[in-house]
């Protein structure tokens, strides 16, 4: 149930959709065009204070970094403090893994995880996808 499930942008120029993954399961395809950028998908979290590791798999990444998905974790609330911003390096259709560490402070009771994207400067063959997003305690 919203907001604790993925909420998708549903605009012609900024969108996210679930698709069947090759080999089974689902993946999240995201896209932006017409100069748009922003959150294509987001979900509210309730993580206890402490250190965490976020990891994900991505593919169909365009050459232009503006068109590559960005994973952002931030505190939900008036100050909306960013805890992590993670974006894959380089283009490629093949799957690649990304990961990053962040710390949830004691005054951050709820968090947003968002998948942001911008319009690529050049038209890409396919919109990028993201799958298998995991958050776990870190040491």
């Amino acid at each position: 149930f919203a907001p604790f499930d993925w909420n998708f942008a549903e605009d012609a120029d900024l969108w996210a959709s679930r698709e069947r993954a090759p080999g089974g399961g689902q993946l999240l395809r995201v896209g932006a065009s017409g100069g748009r950028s922003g959150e294509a998908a987001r979900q509210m979290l309730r993580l206890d204070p402490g250190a965490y590791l976020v990891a994900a798999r991505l593919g169909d990444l365009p050459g232009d970094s503006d068109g590559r998905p960005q994973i952002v974790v931030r505190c939900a609330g008036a100050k909306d403090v960013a805890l992590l911003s993670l974006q894959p390096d380089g283009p490629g259709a093949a799957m690649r893994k990304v990961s990053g560490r962040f710390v949830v402070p004691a005054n951050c009771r709820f968090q947003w995880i968002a998948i942001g994207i911008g319009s690529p400067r050049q038209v890409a063959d396919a919109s990028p996808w993201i799958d298998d997003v995991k958050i776990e305690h870190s040491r």
Side-chain angles (χ1 to χ4, degrees):
F1 297 103
F4 294 99
D5 193 4
W6 286 106
N7 295 292
F8 301 144
E10 296 178 5
D11 189 300
D13 293 333
L14 180 65
W15 55 270
S17 67
R18 285 186 175 105
E19 285 185 14
R20 187 151 189 71
Q26 289 190 333
L27 56 79
L28 181 67
R29 186 133 345 234
V30 293
S33 62
R36 286 287 307 271
S37 65
E39 291 181 355
R42 75 178 183 167
Q43 180 180 49
M44 184 168 274
L45 307 171
R46 189 169 195 282
L47 302 172
D48 292 330
Y52 291 87
L53 173 71
V54 65
R57 299 180 312 139
L58 299 101
D60 290 338
L61 302 170
D64 180 0
S65 64
D66 290 343
R68 291 185 211 136
Q70 181 177 31
I71 301 169
V72 177
V73 179
R74 65 184 191 282
C75 290
K79 295 191 180 188
D80 226 19
V81 176
L83 304 174
L84 170 81
S85 181
L86 181 64
Q87 187 176 40
D89 291 331
M95 183 277 295
R96 73 178 64 189
K97 295 179 182 180
V98 296
S99 63
R101 298 182 187 283
F102 64 97
V103 175
V104 174
N107 64 347
C108 181
R109 294 187 54 200
F110 292 91
Q111 306 80 34
W112 286 109
I113 183 169
I115 311 301
I117 192 160
S119 296
R121 289 184 284 268
Q122 297 178 355
V123 176
D125 293 337
S127 296
W129 58 263
I130 185 165
D131 190 22
D132 206 19
V133 178
K134 293 181 182 174
I135 298 176
E136 55 189 37
H137 274 285
S138 176
R139 297 177 196 215

